[in-house]
Amino acid sequence: MRIAAVSLATLVLFPTVSWASPTSFAGKAFDTCDTPSSATMQAWLSSPYRSVGVYFGGDGRGCKTQANLTAAWVSEQVSEGWHLLPLYVGRQAPCTTTQSFKMSADPSVARSQGRAEGGDAVAKAGSLGLNAVLYNDMEHYDSSNTACRTAVLSYLTGWTERLHESSYFSGVYSGAASGIRDLANVYRSTTYARPDFIDFAWWNGKADTDAGSYVPSTYWSNHQRIHQYAGDHNETHGGRTINIDSNQVDVQPPVNRDFTTYPTVSSGANGPAVSALQYLLKDDGRDAGTVDGNFGSRTDTAVRAFQSARGLGADGEVGRRTWTALLSAGWQPNLARGSTGLEVRRLQRALTAALGRSIGIDGDFGSGTEQAVRDYQTTRGLPVDGEVGPQTWTALQSGQ
């Protein structure tokens, strides 16, 4: 059955989420080692910049004191219209030759270190009132070194995993030719967690968010990019000079994907469920066109490509199996009763589609979610333990 139009009346949305959503910003940003004073920020309102990167934590940051960076400063700048980009400089790649604070070369230890620093970032961000996306600053390293690359990806998985548990969105800043390209190469991995936003250093002087050959244009295409296009240089605005890096920002919060039911839709359909579909297809790296709620030819082509890749019937109709596979797509963290955050929300969405009944989408793996997992495992012939590991994730991601 094809639903030609899907309106808010036919889809009962869950209540407004309690976690903080990223704020929208498109324009120029600058970052500088030492957080500028309020007076300097006021003077720079005459500049073309309206976003600023602040180094709020991490033992690897160069300017550790940050006397100006307080909760009051954060509140003041936000009220003045500044968009903030929180940067955390923690452990660096084990093969780096320019940094002294390094992660372990052992991937399991590196992941634990990423988790620990993610927890520290969450605590520091909370005390400052910083926004919903925290960026890990991973400076350039030799990504041709396989062991080093594996350690970095493991560390960043720990970082993203820990942020997601606290319902923060994960960002990663790195060189386009090192950390960002390595993340792009594992974009659809079920082993490594994918950050929600990327901030890539490529000093080509172009104020855009095109990452060239380093990142396919369909990756992080839901307004999830920042391009640092110019390195250390002085600029003067309002009589105040700062040594800065320049960035072009294009970030927006995700569209709503939380529904009590996921209806069958196909070409010609429109409405919020189609917007969710388009966002999910783009999140999987498919060219679904603009997220506009209209199921047109590009969306149809993207649906068929996704269905083919997942071994589903490539008919362009998005029913229970396709919704389940799309909603669960991504890496496969171990979740159980007591787990929290964004990955639990992803699981709850997929279970809602798979079981055809409302599962509360609240990021809290409580008794209701555990029972839904057990019901899913029972009906799919999986071991029934109420926990979600690779076997259950794989079944969901195959649309079972």
Side-chain angles (χ1 to χ4, degrees), residues 27 58 77 112 129 134 144 167 203 217 260 304 312 345 348 375:
Q77 305 321 314
S112 296
L134 307 180
S144 68
S167 294
W203 296 351
S217 61
T260 57
R304 293 174 189 271
L312 304 170
R345 298 182 70 89
Q348 291 167 330
D375 291 347

Side-chain angles (χ1 to χ4, degrees), residues 129-335:
L130 289 167
N131 66 21
V133 187
L134 307 180
Y135 295 84
N136 185 284
D137 183 327
M138 184 61 58
E139 295 295 320
H140 179 78
Y141 60 91
D142 179 9
S143 67
S144 68
N145 183 323
T146 302
C148 187
R149 180 175 67 247
T150 299
V152 169
L153 291 172
S154 299
Y155 169 92
L156 292 175
T157 289
W159 165 266
T160 296
E161 178 180 41
R162 181 63 187 84
L163 263 60
H164 281 185
E165 287 173 1
S166 294
S167 294
Y168 274 84
F169 288 82
S170 166
V172 171
Y173 163 86
S174 192
S178 55
I180 300 303
R181 180 168 58 188
D182 288 345
L183 285 167
N185 285 337
V186 295
Y187 188 84
R188 295 196 184 103
S189 171
T190 58
T191 302
Y192 296 116
R194 184 170 74 234
D196 305 291
F197 296 86
I198 56 169
D199 181 352
F200 56 96
W202 184 22
W203 296 351
N204 63 357
K206 297 180 180 179
D208 58 26
T209 55
D210 181 1
S213 62
Y214 298 114
V215 181
S217 61
T218 53
Y219 291 4
W220 293 285
S221 63
N222 281 314
H223 305 283
Q224 298 164 282
R225 294 185 176 201
I226 302 170
H227 176 196
Q228 186 183 88
Y229 62 86
D232 297 336
H233 64 283
N234 288 336
E235 287 194 25
T236 303
H237 300 283
R240 303 267 179 152
T241 300
I242 315 176
N243 185 264
I244 67 168
D245 300 320
S246 295
N247 311 268
Q248 186 70 24
V249 181
D250 178 18
V251 295
Q252 285 185 18
V255 302
N256 178 61
R257 291 147 293 153
D258 299 347
F259 301 104
T260 57
T261 183
Y262 292 88
T264 299
V265 293
S266 59
S267 184
N270 60 77
V274 176
S275 292
L277 169 65
Q278 291 167 325
Y279 186 93
L280 289 164
L281 288 165
K282 287 166 70 72
D283 198 46
D284 192 60
R286 313 285 172 182
D287 181 9
T290 304
V291 179
D292 58 6
N294 295 310
F295 198 135
S297 61
R298 289 174 70 180
T299 302
D300 182 75
T301 298
V303 166
R304 293 174 189 271
F306 176 82
Q307 291 172 325
S308 179
R310 294 304 172 96
L312 304 170
D315 58 4
E317 185 172 273
V318 183
R320 179 191 63 79
R321 293 192 66 194
T322 301
W323 275 119
T324 300
L326 263 175
L327 290 161
S328 61
W331 80 298
Q332 300 179 345
N334 292 318
L335 301 175

